[in-house]
Amino acid sequence: PGGAMDLAYVCEWEKKPKSNHCPSIPLVCAWSCRNLIAFTTDLRNEEEKDLTHMVHIIDTEHPWDVYSVNSGHTEVITCLEWDQSGSRLLSADADGHIKCWSMTDHLANSWENTVGSAVEGDPVVALSWLHNGVKLALHVEKSGASNFGEKFSRVKFSPSLTLFGGKPMEGWIAVTISGLVTVSLLKPNGQVLTSTESLCRLRCRVALADVAFTGGGNIVVATSDGSSTSPVQFYKVCVSVVNEKCKIDTEILPSLFMRCTTDPARKDKYPAITHLKFLARDMSEQVLLCASNQNSSIVECWSLRKEGLPVNNIFQQISPVVVDKQPMILKWRILSATNDLDRVSAVALPKLPISLTNTDLKVANDTKFFPGLGLALAFHDGSVHIVHRLSLQMMAVFYGSSSQRPVDEQTIKRQRTAGPLVYFKAMQLSWTSLALAGIDSHGKLSMLRISPSMGHVLDLNMSLRHLLFLLEYCMVTGYDWWDILLHVQPSMVQNLVEKLHEEYMRQNAALQQVLSTRIVAMKASLCKLSSSTIARVCDYHAKLFLIAISCTLKSLLRPHFLNTPDKSPGDRLTEICSKITDIDIDKVMINLKTEEFVLEMTTLQSLQQLIQWVGDFVLYLLASLPNQGSPVRPGHSFLRDGASLGMFRELMVVIRIWGLLKPSCLPVYTATSDTQDSMSLLFRLLTKLWLCCREENHITEPDDTLIDECCLLPSQLLIPNIDWLPINDGIISKLQNKQLVRLQFGKAPGLVGHAVSSQFDAFVRAPGQPKIDHLRRLHLGAYPTEECKSCTRCGCVTMLKSPNKVTAVKQWEQRWIKNCLCGGLWRRMPLSYS
């Protein structure tokens, strides 16, 4: 099928002279579950500074904003590996040095090398983090099930090494070219235990290697010396800690010879093994091999099976037991092989842990759901094929700029002489297999979309089901879902948001609680993709902010007596506010134990900006009730959202009580009359509105008197401007019309041709207007002097350093120190961001 893969964007370096490529240098790239891509290039720049020792890190949403880490590696970087959480990166070089990088202050564009290990002078050929024992399986067969636990089940899998109490120990394992295996363990106190052993007694050259893990907690290493006439060797590696030292035991497993070397027709055709990969880090029983010559390659897939050993009849008389129960041995069997292909330049394997049982495979085939079932092969002519991971049959093909669709021999010969072709030297599939990133021989980064159905045309309902299944997977695992958004068309948004909500409502209460903020963030990112839902993006972000404020403020309440009551003060507040539906704020207040609300004066004062936001937002919502017919305005969805209105109502009660202790912490309103009690007025109207929609399945329209009262609000109080989040400058919304976007590293693209954002500028501050810290609600001035960070997903801006040291403020900041409230990563902003 032709429509299966297309280029979403290409990002290149500013033009460099031709002489600066080091074509013989291998490139590497790695893609994390947070959708950060780390890669190397083979460019040198004019000053002859070698760029080959740099690690470049980009976020797929802002690929031009590249962060280049001067890695300190003195030789070529041979491996890059992200950990399971996507927050740390390992790099290894041809001098045996391994470095572990982590984010400075949780910023995605600021990295530091904290620990490392080395086998001096011995190039590293394979590298992996130790397994943490977490393994999921996606069951396509159950994609219609209501329970997330059935669709995505935990697989019993032991970590490579455990600390006391069964907690997985962190660390990494590497294989070097001289046949050594080295393991480094990170102790909780920051110490590194490293140990190095020979893989087997007879050490021999290891040109290629790969690492995989078994469910029992062992490690399997596959090695090849690069020649197809030599066997591919497999070793079992066990790591343990004895007397505070790391101990490695190795044992030889069955080996194999590639079939193309034993096949008389192809005997000496492919002298070199060029790629050796386990099909997945946690599938040590399946391996992919590629043998090549100068112009062509062949790929084989092998699997390790238990087989009975036939026993000769001679043993029958001696021991009849032997014949009934054959002894079992492990043996490698070839699963599938390709025909002769063009020369392979790079391989990318799927990371989606799809279940491979026969029923799952059948359902996947019937519904045309292929993510996780295909692996990508890149060729020297610039094309990319996606082949099935078990049968190696072609599923999709992409022709690069230089690779021509098959034509007659003559033109091919003419092309060959035209100069070197551009082809991918390193490739990685995203975590849902819906996108493929490639680094080509000119150092460009290409992002390809891969259709979930591999180009098969499906009815809209089926396409939505496929995307929904993967969105749910990201929701459960906490992975970033940017690569799924690549496939969402504006017409799908409304449907996807509704279906996602339905699925979420079918989960049990505990799981709903865990996923409550993630689903809001997901809906926000979907609504960004269609002009008809763009105003709801603001609402979802405001809702995340409301949930966070509500949790923080409630957590400050303290029980009066230390003997723990059955409910925390926060829970009791919720219970009383929902039970007592009185519209008079003071009557609700009387039912609460005021002593639980006593806080220090400085604490209350430090919360004033957050309290002000609550007060302003309630006023804004009520004032916008009369013209509720316009869903284009931000805030519209709150008017029907009983749960959120209930939260605002609780917070108004808390604020009212705190105002009795310290009046200066109350929200400031500009009122037309001095005698008016603004808080109780707003509380009364808010309660009436809340009563209309507190039951989700029984929502009534607000009555005319309420609407009339809300119409009067602008004449009684000054309606504040709400600082909505800026509509994001990311790439995703510019990729929807399927036109290729060309970008340059280091240069932000002009915001062209995105109709959605122009409609929206009415709500967002223009450049040169005062900026605001969206999370502390502090005004930063038109040209901020403080260093700020912004979220890579929602564009929310906040200061890097906290201006206030009060515990309550710290507690608030802890909520978004690692990630933004929407789950996005932070990046440091240039000071001149205004």
Side-chain angles (χ1 to χ4, degrees), residues 316-591:
Q316 183 102 37
Q317 294 84 26
I318 309 169
S319 160
V321 183
V322 174
V323 183
D324 304 341
K325 228 164 134 194
Q326 288 187 334
M328 300 301 273
I329 57 161
L330 285 173
K331 197 162 182 184
W332 284 101
R333 286 275 177 213
I334 188 161
L335 268 184
S336 50
T338 62
N339 296 327
D340 302 1
L341 305 163
D342 204 87
R343 187 166 157 211
V344 172
S345 62
V347 177
L349 295 171
K351 302 182 183 69
L352 193 70
I354 201 119
S355 159
L356 295 172
T357 61
N358 290 338
T359 38
D360 281 314
L361 287 171
K362 185 181 179 312
V363 173
N365 201 30
D366 294 346
T367 56
K368 303 283 176 264
F369 178 82
F370 298 121
L373 289 176
L375 56 97
L377 303 172
F379 297 97
H380 274 266
D381 68 353
S383 65
V384 178
H385 290 183
I386 291 191
V387 297
H388 195 285
R389 62 190 279 178
L390 300 174
S391 66
L392 297 182
Q393 282 168 343
M394 171 99 83
M395 297 166 83
V397 60
F398 168 77
Y399 298 103
S401 47
S402 52
S403 66
Q404 294 298 304
R405 290 164 176 70
V407 276
D408 62 87
E409 293 287 308
Q410 282 304 306
T411 41
I412 290 184
K413 287 209 175 88
R414 266 204 305 274
Q415 274 177 339
R416 280 272 155 88
T417 53
L421 297 167
V422 180
Y423 59 90
F424 290 130
K425 289 175 80 169
M427 278 195 315
Q428 282 268 312
L429 280 162
S430 75
W431 283 63
T432 60
S433 287
L434 293 186
L436 175 74
I439 311 295
D440 66 26
S441 43
H442 283 180
K444 288 203 303 282
L445 174 104
S446 302
M447 178 66 66
L448 288 100
R449 251 192 217 96
I450 303 175
S451 124
S453 65
M454 292 295 166
H456 289 276
V457 181
L458 300 178
D459 64 342
L460 185 65
N461 224 353
M462 201 46 133
S463 309
L464 286 175
R465 250 184 67 184
H466 289 177
L467 295 178
L468 191 66
F469 188 48
L470 292 170
L471 281 169
E472 290 165 3
Y473 169 68
C474 289
M475 188 149 69
V476 169
T477 51
Y479 296 160
D480 188 71
W481 56 93
W482 178 89
D483 35 332
I484 305 175
L485 298 180
L486 277 178
H487 298 267
V488 176
Q489 290 304 312
S491 57
M492 300 177 174
V493 171
Q494 187 70 32
N495 251 329
L496 267 177
V497 172
E498 281 167 16
K499 289 203 159 86
L500 198 61
H501 184 74
E502 277 169 33
E503 289 298 321
Y504 169 78
M505 294 310 287
R506 290 161 75 178
Q507 308 312 310
N508 62 36
L511 187 57
Q512 282 192 26
Q513 178 89 37
V514 173
L515 303 177
S516 58
T517 52
R518 207 172 290 152
I519 184 168
V520 177
M522 239 177 209
K523 289 176 181 171
S525 63
L526 285 166
C527 286
K528 238 177 233 174
L529 302 177
S530 157
S531 51
S532 57
T533 51
I534 195 86
R536 277 163 54 193
V537 178
C538 293
D539 294 14
Y540 288 128
H541 287 313
K543 182 157 184 178
L544 285 171
F545 194 65
L546 168 65
I547 294 171
I549 285 189
S550 164
C551 292
T552 305
L553 297 188
K554 280 183 186 169
S555 69
L556 294 172
L557 309 180
R558 291 281 167 264
H560 183 50
F561 299 111
L562 282 179
N563 58 352
T564 40
D566 44 351
K567 286 194 175 68
S568 70
D571 293 343
R572 197 155 55 248
L573 167 76
T574 307
E575 194 184 11
I576 286 172
C577 284
S578 61
K579 204 163 60 188
I580 296 173
T581 56
D582 208 298
I583 56 173
D584 183 353
I585 192 164
D586 297 325
K587 287 192 179 149
V588 179
M589 237 167 66
I590 288 169
N591 295 282

